[in-house]
Amino acid sequence: MKAFELEVLIERIGSQYEILLSEGILPDQSLTEIFEGDDQLWLEPEPGIDLDFWRETGKFETLFVSLIRTTPSTKEYKGELPAPYASEMTQDDVHAIFGEPMASKGPIKMPVPIGMTGGWDSYPLDPELYPGKKVVFQYTQDMRVKTLVFTLIDKGHR
């Protein structure tokens, strides 16, 4: 995937699956559920890129970009990233680029196979380009960015 294609996906968070499909932004793949009866449906257009849709409305709510394989089922994204994101970043890099986060959570222990994490930092995206959206940097235990999470600030249902 090219950096501009990721930018388009980030811009289109909040759009309906059917519209994204009809406009050729998404591949003609069916949405899948990870857990039976889950409120979210998923699409993996390429390894390391996961899109989350709210089942009830078909709204595209979250884009996950996996930079580091942390579980057996995780696939790493090997494509381009739009600036200022990089495939190898630490929490120090994130703070130097983005400043003080709007929200943050320190290291936590998750169930196996995830184990200990480095927590996360959240930042609002530029409201002119990406109104109502934020990016969350999820960290490994040694504070490397493992996942970029682009999502709506207010999903309106949780």
Side-chain angles (χ1 to χ4, degrees):
M1 189 172 281
K2 301 286 186 206
F4 78 88
E5 293 171 301
L6 273 180
E7 288 175 333
V8 168
L9 285 175
I10 296 165
E11 287 171 6
R12 299 307 299 272
I13 292 171
S15 299
Q16 304 298 314
Y17 168 75
E18 294 298 332
I19 292 170
L20 297 173
L21 190 61
S22 71
E23 292 176 345
I25 294 171
L26 297 180
D28 191 8
Q29 294 174 263
S30 297
L31 296 175
T32 59
E33 62 180 11
I34 295 178
F35 307 105
E36 189 175 330
D38 193 4
D39 290 333
Q40 280 89 20
L41 296 172
W42 297 86
L43 181 70
E44 181 185 20
E46 75 174 70
I49 300 288
D50 292 292
L51 286 64
D52 171 31
F53 295 82
W54 185 244
R55 179 190 295 267
E56 189 175 308
T57 62
K59 184 166 65 171
F60 174 31
E61 294 188 334
T62 307
L63 165 64
F64 296 87
V65 182
S66 298
L67 303 177
I68 296 175
R69 184 177 178 178
T70 55
T71 68
S73 63
T74 303
K75 296 174 188 158
E76 289 180 14
Y77 174 67
K78 298 293 187 187
E80 297 176 3
L81 292 169
Y85 308 101
S87 58
E88 293 185 22
M89 298 176 76
T90 66
Q91 186 180 47
D92 288 341
D93 297 329
V94 170
H95 288 179
I97 295 167
F98 292 91
E100 191 68 29
M102 71 177 191
S104 197
K105 176 96 173 152
I108 56 172
K109 186 171 182 158
M110 299 289 289
V112 171
I114 297 172
M116 199 64 193
T117 74
W120 54 264
D121 289 321
S122 175
Y123 296 86
L125 292 176
D126 181 338
E128 294 289 318
L129 297 173
Y130 309 106
K133 297 169 188 144
K134 66 181 176 179
V135 60
V136 179
F137 296 87
Q138 296 178 339
Y139 303 109
T140 61
Q141 188 173 2
D142 62 355
M143 304 314 285
R144 293 178 298 147
V145 177
K146 68 174 183 168
T147 310
L148 300 171
V149 182
F150 299 93
T151 190
L152 296 169
I153 291 173
D154 180 8
K155 295 179 182 176
H157 57 75
R158 292 186 193 165

